[in-house]
Amino acid sequence: MALSETLRKVWRSYYLRRVVKALLTIFVVTTLTFFLIRLMPGNPLDIYISQQLAQGVPLIEAQQMAAALYQIDLDKPLWLQYLDYIWSLLHGDFGMSIVSTRTPVSDLILRFLPWTLFVVSVSLVTSFVLGILLGTVTAYRRNTLLDHVLTSLASIISAVPNYIVGVLIIVYFGVRWKWFDVAAVRGSLSPGVHPEWSWAFLSDALYHAALPIITYVVTTVGNWMLAMRSSTMATLGEDYVMVARARGLSDQRIATAYVGRNAVLPLFTSLAISIGFVVGGSTLIESVFTYQGIGMKLSSALTSRDYPVMQAIFIIICTSVVAANLLADLLYGLLDPRIRIEGR
């Protein structure tokens, strides 16, 4: 068999093509991120010198302080900086933080990312399950008062940005009604509490993450509910559901074995995509609640133009979105054999 024919057969593989496309997407986004960040106005040195000038420090002295503090060469040709950046990434090195001197970016990522993943995973699972249940109920009870109330609420809340909901929660629940201490929930842990396998640590972590989790769930559950309601109603009109009813199967068996499984299938792709975007969208929520996650670290890196930290976080967000899409494609191929046949 000729080599070209073998390569064509390999390329026809459904899974291989999607893995190659995912890797190419990550590479392109990584390259664009590198150059777009440097198109932003100002750089770490300019921002630091401006801060010193605002405090009355002479310009020459401010420049000397910046050179001694940051020890970076931003005058190096951009293409050489890019090659160094790609070479470091290939060796798993995100570089050193410019602002947090002598601190590897990977250490910062490992310090802040777990808190965001904790909040995102709990929020996403909770809102997805709630949305599926509520969407199924409203589909079976469509055009009733319960259906009208829930779908109206879902439409209204879904249209409100999550950071607005976060601010409203702080203003009403924390300041006016004093249901919780606004100052005490700042950060990801209370002073003196360290990560360990203990109830004290777990309860404290949940206490600090509760408000971001509530905000995520409130602002996303409506979308899941409306999507599941629409999918369930479409599935209820399928011929195989009518045949199942004609065979005398119970409503419970039809709902679980025929309607539920097929109705929830299209939502898996949306769920996978949401994982990546929720990580990227954590910046505003974590800033509102002063939660020490990767989103808040990205916000501070943007302010100080900490290029290595910004690049690393953008790569993580891009990789999470692409990986989630790839996982959805692979799972969908397993769940729906028609996709594998078309991709063969």
Side-chain angles (χ1 to χ4, degrees):
M1 185 180 295
L3 178 61
S4 58
E5 182 63 25
T6 304
L7 292 176
R8 270 198 295 272
K9 281 195 172 182
V10 171
W11 179 245
R12 288 193 192 115
S13 168
Y14 173 80
Y15 302 108
L16 178 64
R17 276 186 293 157
R18 274 151 182 78
V19 171
V20 172
K21 286 180 181 176
L23 293 176
L24 282 176
T25 303
I26 292 174
F27 173 73
V28 171
V29 173
T30 300
T31 300
L32 288 176
T33 300
F34 176 86
F35 291 103
L36 289 176
I37 284 177
R38 280 156 181 78
L39 291 176
M40 296 173 65
N43 60 49
L45 296 180
D46 292 338
I47 291 175
Y48 179 80
I49 291 172
S50 298
Q51 292 173 346
Q52 297 305 312
L53 291 176
Q55 296 176 7
V57 179
L59 176 61
I60 300 298
E61 186 177 344
Q63 291 174 334
Q64 293 173 346
M65 291 169 63
L69 179 63
Y70 291 115
Q71 298 178 347
I72 57 174
D73 183 14
L74 294 177
D75 295 328
K76 193 175 182 179
L78 196 58
W79 65 273
L80 281 178
Q81 293 183 42
Y82 173 71
L83 291 179
D84 291 341
Y85 168 60
I86 294 296
W87 182 254
S88 298
L89 282 184
L90 291 175
H91 290 78
D93 181 12
F94 288 114
M96 305 290 283
S97 170
I98 295 175
V99 176
S100 303
T101 52
R102 297 187 178 84
T103 304
V105 174
S106 55
D107 288 355
L108 295 175
I109 300 297
L110 292 175
R111 178 183 170 191
F112 290 99
L113 184 59
W115 299 111
T116 296
L117 293 179
F118 171 65
V119 169
V120 168
S121 57
V122 173
S123 307
L124 201 56
V125 170
T126 305
S127 65
F128 184 74
V129 173
L130 277 177
I132 295 299
L133 293 175
L134 292 174
T136 305
V137 170
T138 52
Y140 271 92
R141 298 189 179 184
R142 57 187 177 277
N143 296 326
T144 62
L145 178 62
L146 178 66
D147 176 33
H148 293 311
V149 170
L150 289 180
T151 52
S152 299
L153 281 175
S155 301
I156 294 171
I157 294 177
S158 300
V160 180
N162 53 15
Y163 62 89
I164 296 293
V165 174
V167 171
L168 291 175
I169 287 176
I170 289 178
V171 170
Y172 285 96
F173 295 171
V175 178
R176 290 197 176 185
W177 300 333
K178 299 186 184 304
W179 288 1
F180 60 87
D181 187 350
V182 177
V185 297
R186 296 165 65 92
S188 52
L189 285 175
S190 300
V193 178
H194 303 285
E196 59 184 8
W197 290 109
S198 67
W199 172 246
F201 161 69
L202 183 61
S203 59
D204 193 71
L206 285 172
Y207 176 67
H208 286 264
L211 295 182
I213 290 174
I214 291 173
T215 305
Y216 277 125
V217 171
V218 167
T219 53
T220 57
V221 68
N223 289 326
W224 296 121
M225 191 196 86
L226 294 175
M228 185 61 186
R229 178 180 181 274
S230 176
S231 183
T232 302
M233 289 175 63
T235 306
L236 285 171
E238 295 288 345
D239 292 339
Y240 58 83
V241 175
M242 298 180 184
V243 171
R245 284 175 175 157
R247 289 171 56 197
L249 297 179
S250 66
D251 290 340
Q252 184 178 2
R253 177 162 174 73
I254 293 174
T256 54
Y258 290 83
V259 178
R261 178 180 175 182
N262 292 288
V264 80
L265 195 59
L267 272 67
F268 275 115
T269 304
S270 302
L271 176 64
I273 295 173
S274 299
I275 296 173
F277 282 109
V278 169
V279 172
S282 63
T283 304
L284 293 175
I285 290 293
E286 292 179 358
S287 297
V288 168
F289 293 106
T290 324
Y291 190 76
Q292 300 291 330
I294 202 69
M296 191 167 177
K297 188 61 188 172
L298 175 60
S299 178
S300 65
L302 285 167
T303 304
S304 59
R305 301 291 189 273
D306 197 342
Y307 293 156
V309 175
M310 293 165 62
Q311 291 165 172
I313 296 177
F314 283 134
I315 289 174
I316 290 173
I317 293 173
C318 165
T319 305
S320 62
V321 172
V322 172
N325 275 283
L326 178 63
L327 179 64
D329 281 344
L330 300 181
L331 287 177
Y332 216 82
L334 294 174
L335 295 172
D336 191 347
R338 292 172 299 177
I339 293 179
R340 281 174 289 169
I341 293 173
E342 292 169 359
R344 188 176 57 190

PDB file of all heavy atoms in Angstrom, residues 274-296:
ATOM      1  N   SER A 274     -19.178  25.503  27.914  1.00  0.00           N
ATOM      2  CA  SER A 274     -19.349  26.388  29.071  1.00  0.00           C
ATOM      3  C   SER A 274     -18.201  26.269  30.049  1.00  0.00           C
ATOM      4  O   SER A 274     -17.870  27.240  30.738  1.00  0.00           O
ATOM      5  CB  SER A 274     -20.670  26.065  29.784  1.00  0.00           C
ATOM      6  OG  SER A 274     -21.758  26.266  28.930  1.00  0.00           O
ATOM      7  N   ILE A 275     -17.593  25.107  30.151  1.00  0.00           N
ATOM      8  CA  ILE A 275     -16.495  24.919  31.103  1.00  0.00           C
ATOM      9  C   ILE A 275     -15.374  25.918  30.828  1.00  0.00           C
ATOM     10  O   ILE A 275     -14.900  26.615  31.723  1.00  0.00           O
ATOM     11  CB  ILE A 275     -15.969  23.479  31.035  1.00  0.00           C
ATOM     12  CG1 ILE A 275     -17.055  22.502  31.482  1.00  0.00           C
ATOM     13  CG2 ILE A 275     -14.722  23.317  31.910  1.00  0.00           C
ATOM     14  CD1 ILE A 275     -16.685  21.042  31.278  1.00  0.00           C
ATOM     15  N   GLY A 276     -14.973  25.996  29.568  1.00  0.00           N
ATOM     16  CA  GLY A 276     -13.901  26.913  29.225  1.00  0.00           C
ATOM     17  C   GLY A 276     -14.288  28.371  29.388  1.00  0.00           C
ATOM     18  O   GLY A 276     -13.524  29.169  29.931  1.00  0.00           O
ATOM     19  N   PHE A 277     -15.505  28.718  28.951  1.00  0.00           N
ATOM     20  CA  PHE A 277     -15.904  30.115  29.009  1.00  0.00           C
ATOM     21  C   PHE A 277     -16.174  30.572  30.436  1.00  0.00           C
ATOM     22  O   PHE A 277     -15.991  31.748  30.754  1.00  0.00           O
ATOM     23  CB  PHE A 277     -17.129  30.346  28.132  1.00  0.00           C
ATOM     24  CG  PHE A 277     -16.795  30.436  26.674  1.00  0.00           C
ATOM     25  CD1 PHE A 277     -17.152  29.428  25.799  1.00  0.00           C
ATOM     26  CD2 PHE A 277     -16.098  31.522  26.177  1.00  0.00           C
ATOM     27  CE1 PHE A 277     -16.834  29.500  24.450  1.00  0.00           C
ATOM     28  CE2 PHE A 277     -15.772  31.610  24.837  1.00  0.00           C
ATOM     29  CZ  PHE A 277     -16.136  30.599  23.968  1.00  0.00           C
ATOM     30  N   VAL A 278     -16.614  29.665  31.286  1.00  0.00           N
ATOM     31  CA  VAL A 278     -16.844  30.062  32.670  1.00  0.00           C
ATOM     32  C   VAL A 278     -15.522  30.377  33.346  1.00  0.00           C
ATOM     33  O   VAL A 278     -15.410  31.319  34.139  1.00  0.00           O
ATOM     34  CB  VAL A 278     -17.608  28.957  33.425  1.00  0.00           C
ATOM     35  CG1 VAL A 278     -17.628  29.238  34.908  1.00  0.00           C
ATOM     36  CG2 VAL A 278     -19.028  28.856  32.896  1.00  0.00           C
ATOM     37  N   VAL A 279     -14.461  29.605  33.024  1.00  0.00           N
ATOM     38  CA  VAL A 279     -13.143  29.908  33.586  1.00  0.00           C
ATOM     39  C   VAL A 279     -12.705  31.305  33.134  1.00  0.00           C
ATOM     40  O   VAL A 279     -12.216  32.110  33.921  1.00  0.00           O
ATOM     41  CB  VAL A 279     -12.119  28.856  33.137  1.00  0.00           C
ATOM     42  CG1 VAL A 279     -10.710  29.270  33.554  1.00  0.00           C
ATOM     43  CG2 VAL A 279     -12.464  27.501  33.748  1.00  0.00           C
ATOM     44  N   GLY A 280     -12.911  31.620  31.852  1.00  0.00           N
ATOM     45  CA  GLY A 280     -12.533  32.934  31.355  1.00  0.00           C
ATOM     46  C   GLY A 280     -13.402  34.045  31.922  1.00  0.00           C
ATOM     47  O   GLY A 280     -12.941  35.164  32.126  1.00  0.00           O
ATOM     48  N   GLY A 281     -14.665  33.720  32.170  1.00  0.00           N
ATOM     49  CA  GLY A 281     -15.579  34.725  32.683  1.00  0.00           C
ATOM     50  C   GLY A 281     -15.518  34.924  34.176  1.00  0.00           C
ATOM     51  O   GLY A 281     -16.308  35.678  34.741  1.00  0.00           O
ATOM     52  N   SER A 282     -14.577  34.228  34.832  1.00  0.00           N
ATOM     53  CA  SER A 282     -14.484  34.345  36.292  1.00  0.00           C
ATOM     54  C   SER A 282     -13.834  35.644  36.730  1.00  0.00           C
ATOM     55  O   SER A 282     -13.857  35.967  37.914  1.00  0.00           O
ATOM     56  CB  SER A 282     -13.690  33.163  36.852  1.00  0.00           C
ATOM     57  OG  SER A 282     -12.359  33.181  36.354  1.00  0.00           O
ATOM     58  N   THR A 283     -13.243  36.391  35.785  1.00  0.00           N
ATOM     59  CA  THR A 283     -12.502  37.599  36.154  1.00  0.00           C
ATOM     60  C   THR A 283     -13.385  38.599  36.892  1.00  0.00           C
ATOM     61  O   THR A 283     -13.025  39.088  37.972  1.00  0.00           O
ATOM     62  CB  THR A 283     -11.931  38.261  34.889  1.00  0.00           C
ATOM     63  OG1 THR A 283     -11.127  37.310  34.195  1.00  0.00           O
ATOM     64  CG2 THR A 283     -11.080  39.464  35.251  1.00  0.00           C
ATOM     65  N   LEU A 284     -14.551  38.888  36.315  1.00  0.00           N
ATOM     66  CA  LEU A 284     -15.412  39.899  36.922  1.00  0.00           C
ATOM     67  C   LEU A 284     -16.014  39.412  38.238  1.00  0.00           C
ATOM     68  O   LEU A 284     -16.069  40.156  39.210  1.00  0.00           O
ATOM     69  CB  LEU A 284     -16.522  40.278  35.931  1.00  0.00           C
ATOM     70  CG  LEU A 284     -16.051  40.996  34.666  1.00  0.00           C
ATOM     71  CD1 LEU A 284     -17.205  41.220  33.704  1.00  0.00           C
ATOM     72  CD2 LEU A 284     -15.417  42.328  35.026  1.00  0.00           C
ATOM     73  N   ILE A 285     -16.468  38.159  38.245  1.00  0.00           N
ATOM     74  CA  ILE A 285     -17.079  37.622  39.469  1.00  0.00           C
ATOM     75  C   ILE A 285     -16.073  37.618  40.613  1.00  0.00           C
ATOM     76  O   ILE A 285     -16.375  38.045  41.739  1.00  0.00           O
ATOM     77  CB  ILE A 285     -17.590  36.182  39.213  1.00  0.00           C
ATOM     78  CG1 ILE A 285     -18.788  36.211  38.286  1.00  0.00           C
ATOM     79  CG2 ILE A 285     -17.975  35.510  40.533  1.00  0.00           C
ATOM     80  CD1 ILE A 285     -20.000  36.847  38.880  1.00  0.00           C
ATOM     81  N   GLU A 286     -14.862  37.141  40.365  1.00  0.00           N
ATOM     82  CA  GLU A 286     -13.864  37.082  41.429  1.00  0.00           C
ATOM     83  C   GLU A 286     -13.427  38.472  41.860  1.00  0.00           C
ATOM     84  O   GLU A 286     -13.095  38.684  43.035  1.00  0.00           O
ATOM     85  CB  GLU A 286     -12.669  36.251  40.956  1.00  0.00           C
ATOM     86  CG  GLU A 286     -13.017  34.783  40.783  1.00  0.00           C
ATOM     87  CD  GLU A 286     -11.848  33.958  40.292  1.00  0.00           C
ATOM     88  OE1 GLU A 286     -10.771  34.531  40.055  1.00  0.00           O
ATOM     89  OE2 GLU A 286     -12.015  32.729  40.147  1.00  0.00           O
ATOM     90  N   SER A 287     -13.445  39.421  40.933  1.00  0.00           N
ATOM     91  CA  SER A 287     -13.103  40.796  41.316  1.00  0.00           C
ATOM     92  C   SER A 287     -14.200  41.399  42.185  1.00  0.00           C
ATOM     93  O   SER A 287     -13.905  42.119  43.145  1.00  0.00           O
ATOM     94  CB  SER A 287     -12.905  41.645  40.058  1.00  0.00           C
ATOM     95  OG  SER A 287     -11.822  41.158  39.290  1.00  0.00           O
ATOM     96  N   VAL A 288     -15.464  41.097  41.861  1.00  0.00           N
ATOM     97  CA  VAL A 288     -16.569  41.632  42.655  1.00  0.00           C
ATOM     98  C   VAL A 288     -16.503  41.130  44.091  1.00  0.00           C
ATOM     99  O   VAL A 288     -16.668  41.897  45.051  1.00  0.00           O
ATOM    100  CB  VAL A 288     -17.922  41.240  42.014  1.00  0.00           C
ATOM    101  CG1 VAL A 288     -19.080  41.515  42.975  1.00  0.00           C
ATOM    102  CG2 VAL A 288     -18.127  41.990  40.713  1.00  0.00           C
ATOM    103  N   PHE A 289     -16.218  39.835  44.258  1.00  0.00           N
ATOM    104  CA  PHE A 289     -16.207  39.248  45.604  1.00  0.00           C
ATOM    105  C   PHE A 289     -14.799  39.185  46.207  1.00  0.00           C
ATOM    106  O   PHE A 289     -14.624  38.609  47.284  1.00  0.00           O
ATOM    107  CB  PHE A 289     -16.795  37.836  45.558  1.00  0.00           C
ATOM    108  CG  PHE A 289     -18.260  37.812  45.233  1.00  0.00           C
ATOM    109  CD1 PHE A 289     -18.703  37.411  43.989  1.00  0.00           C
ATOM    110  CD2 PHE A 289     -19.197  38.217  46.170  1.00  0.00           C
ATOM    111  CE1 PHE A 289     -20.053  37.394  43.672  1.00  0.00           C
ATOM    112  CE2 PHE A 289     -20.548  38.208  45.875  1.00  0.00           C
ATOM    113  CZ  PHE A 289     -20.981  37.795  44.620  1.00  0.00           C
ATOM    114  N   THR A 290     -13.805  39.724  45.504  1.00  0.00           N
ATOM    115  CA  THR A 290     -12.406  39.674  45.966  1.00  0.00           C
ATOM    116  C   THR A 290     -12.016  38.240  46.286  1.00  0.00           C
ATOM    117  O   THR A 290     -11.388  37.949  47.303  1.00  0.00           O
ATOM    118  CB  THR A 290     -12.193  40.577  47.203  1.00  0.00           C
ATOM    119  OG1 THR A 290     -12.991  41.741  47.083  1.00  0.00           O
ATOM    120  CG2 THR A 290     -10.738  41.008  47.313  1.00  0.00           C
ATOM    121  N   TYR A 291     -12.397  37.330  45.413  1.00  0.00           N
ATOM    122  CA  TYR A 291     -12.078  35.912  45.587  1.00  0.00           C
ATOM    123  C   TYR A 291     -10.740  35.629  44.906  1.00  0.00           C
ATOM    124  O   TYR A 291     -10.535  35.957  43.734  1.00  0.00           O
ATOM    125  CB  TYR A 291     -13.183  35.051  44.957  1.00  0.00           C
ATOM    126  CG  TYR A 291     -13.077  33.590  45.281  1.00  0.00           C
ATOM    127  CD1 TYR A 291     -13.454  33.112  46.529  1.00  0.00           C
ATOM    128  CD2 TYR A 291     -12.583  32.685  44.341  1.00  0.00           C
ATOM    129  CE1 TYR A 291     -13.358  31.773  46.833  1.00  0.00           C
ATOM    130  CE2 TYR A 291     -12.487  31.337  44.639  1.00  0.00           C
ATOM    131  CZ  TYR A 291     -12.870  30.885  45.882  1.00  0.00           C
ATOM    132  OH  TYR A 291     -12.758  29.545  46.178  1.00  0.00           O
ATOM    133  N   GLN A 292      -9.821  35.005  45.629  1.00  0.00           N
ATOM    134  CA  GLN A 292      -8.452  34.850  45.146  1.00  0.00           C
ATOM    135  C   GLN A 292      -8.327  33.679  44.178  1.00  0.00           C
ATOM    136  O   GLN A 292      -7.685  32.669  44.468  1.00  0.00           O
ATOM    137  CB  GLN A 292      -7.505  34.641  46.340  1.00  0.00           C
ATOM    138  CG  GLN A 292      -7.490  35.782  47.321  1.00  0.00           C
ATOM    139  CD  GLN A 292      -6.853  37.032  46.745  1.00  0.00           C
ATOM    140  OE1 GLN A 292      -5.978  36.951  45.895  1.00  0.00           O
ATOM    141  NE2 GLN A 292      -7.305  38.187  47.197  1.00  0.00           N
ATOM    142  N   GLY A 293      -8.923  33.839  42.999  1.00  0.00           N
ATOM    143  CA  GLY A 293      -8.821  32.808  41.968  1.00  0.00           C
ATOM    144  C   GLY A 293      -8.022  33.304  40.782  1.00  0.00           C
ATOM    145  O   GLY A 293      -7.450  34.394  40.790  1.00  0.00           O
ATOM    146  N   ILE A 294      -8.030  32.486  39.719  1.00  0.00           N
ATOM    147  CA  ILE A 294      -7.222  32.835  38.546  1.00  0.00           C
ATOM    148  C   ILE A 294      -7.811  34.047  37.818  1.00  0.00           C
ATOM    149  O   ILE A 294      -7.083  34.813  37.158  1.00  0.00           O
ATOM    150  CB  ILE A 294      -7.150  31.621  37.592  1.00  0.00           C
ATOM    151  CG1 ILE A 294      -5.931  31.740  36.681  1.00  0.00           C
ATOM    152  CG2 ILE A 294      -8.410  31.474  36.773  1.00  0.00           C
ATOM    153  CD1 ILE A 294      -4.635  31.572  37.372  1.00  0.00           C
ATOM    154  N   GLY A 295      -9.129  34.259  37.926  1.00  0.00           N
ATOM    155  CA  GLY A 295      -9.748  35.413  37.289  1.00  0.00           C
ATOM    156  C   GLY A 295      -9.283  36.716  37.906  1.00  0.00           C
ATOM    157  O   GLY A 295      -8.995  37.694  37.207  1.00  0.00           O
ATOM    158  N   MET A 296      -9.178  36.746  39.226  1.00  0.00           N
ATOM    159  CA  MET A 296      -8.711  37.959  39.894  1.00  0.00           C
ATOM    160  C   MET A 296      -7.222  38.182  39.609  1.00  0.00           C
ATOM    161  O   MET A 296      -6.773  39.329  39.485  1.00  0.00           O
ATOM    162  CB  MET A 296      -8.947  37.853  41.396  1.00  0.00           C
ATOM    163  CG  MET A 296      -8.738  39.154  42.113  1.00  0.00           C
ATOM    164  SD  MET A 296      -9.350  39.120  43.785  1.00  0.00           S
ATOM    165  CE  MET A 296      -8.835  40.763  44.317  1.00  0.00           C
TER     166      MET A 296
END
